[in-house]
Amino acid sequence: MNLTPISLGLSAVLALSGQAPAEGMVLGSDTHLVDLRVGSAQTARVAQSAVDYELSDGTPANVARFYRSRTKDLSVLMLTELSPSTGLLWGVSLGDSGEKYRIDPSLRLGFVHNERIGDNGLLALKVVVRAGGRLREKPCVADYGDIGGVQAVNCRLAASQMRPADTLNYLFNHPAPDRVEASLTMTWTF
C-alpha cells in the first residue's frame, strides 16, 4: 500500500494512493504512524478558560494555576493495511489533568478506504470513532465572608455576579468534541 497525506481539519490522515510512501513513519510491513501530537482541543479549552482575577479586597486570585496541565495529552494514531486500498485506523490518547480538571484517556478506531477514479482521481472515505476523552472539572471552595460564608464554587466564575451555587452548573463536563469523524474526499490530479 502506498501512502499520501490528506488533510482533514486538525488532524492529518494518511490515505492510500498509487504513489510511493513519501510521508509517514513505517513501523512494520503493514502498520504506519499517521499522527503523533501533544495537546488536544479539550486541553486548549481548559487553558483558554482560566483567567486570573482579584478578590474583593484587591488580593490577586491565581486561578490559572489550577488549570495548568501536569502532563500534556499525548495522542497517537496508527494505520494498519488491510488491503492495497483499505486500512484500519487505531490509536490512543493518554489524557490530561491539572489540579481542578481531568481529561480521560481515550481509544480511537476507524477505517480509511480509497478508490481510484480513472488515471487521475482518488476518492477517500474515512471514519473514526473515539471512546473516552471526557473533560471534567472540580469546584473550588471559597469564603464569601459575612455575605455567603464558605461555599463550593466554579473556580473560573468565583468572582462573577452569579450566586456561588449557580456557578456549579457551568463546571466542565464535556465529551471529546471529535467522538465521530467522517469524511469523503475527492482528489483530482491535473
Side-chain angles (χ1 to χ4, degrees):
M1 173 184 344
N2 295 320
L3 304 173
T4 300
I6 293 178
S7 177
L8 299 170
L10 296 176
S11 66
V13 174
L14 293 179
L16 314 170
S17 75
Q19 301 172 8
E23 286 89 9
M25 187 171 95
V26 177
L27 299 177
S29 63
D30 294 352
T31 301
H32 309 271
L33 176 63
V34 174
D35 190 37
L36 176 64
R37 68 182 62 218
V38 176
S40 67
Q42 296 280 61
T43 303
R45 172 184 261 176
V46 170
Q48 293 169 358
S49 68
V51 178
D52 291 339
Y53 48 81
E54 290 184 358
L55 302 176
S56 60
D57 66 358
T59 306
N62 184 0
V63 176
R65 68 184 166 90
F66 294 139
Y67 298 91
R68 283 195 196 105
S69 177
R70 291 184 199 139
T71 58
K72 294 283 187 196
D73 190 11
L74 177 65
S75 177
V76 176
L77 185 63
M78 310 293 286
L79 174 111
T80 299
E81 299 173 29
L82 300 177
S83 75
S85 61
T86 303
L88 175 69
L89 292 165
W90 55 276
V92 63
S93 177
L94 300 179
D96 189 352
S97 67
E99 190 172 338
K100 293 294 178 182
Y101 77 97
R102 174 176 165 77
I103 299 170
D104 295 333
S106 65
L107 296 172
R108 294 172 71 191
L109 185 62
F111 72 94
V112 61
H113 178 77
N114 289 331
E115 200 63 45
R116 300 289 286 148
I117 303 172
D119 292 336
N120 300 333
L122 180 68
L123 188 63
L125 172 65
K126 177 200 139 207
V127 178
V128 181
V129 295
R130 178 187 299 269
R134 180 171 286 277
L135 166 61
R136 292 182 178 89
E137 182 179 13
K138 301 173 196 168
C140 285
V141 176
D143 187 350
Y144 289 91
D146 295 338
I147 55 173
V150 176
Q151 296 185 47
V153 64
N154 182 320
C155 306
R156 297 173 292 110
L157 301 174
S160 72
Q161 298 296 318
M162 299 171 74
R163 294 181 327 147
D166 292 342
T167 67
L168 298 176
N169 295 328
Y170 297 94
L171 289 171
F172 289 138
N173 186 11
H174 304 291
D178 57 349
R179 290 176 297 186
V180 177
E181 294 176 65
S183 67
L184 182 62
T185 307
M186 183 175 159
T187 306
W188 194 266
T189 308
F190 296 95

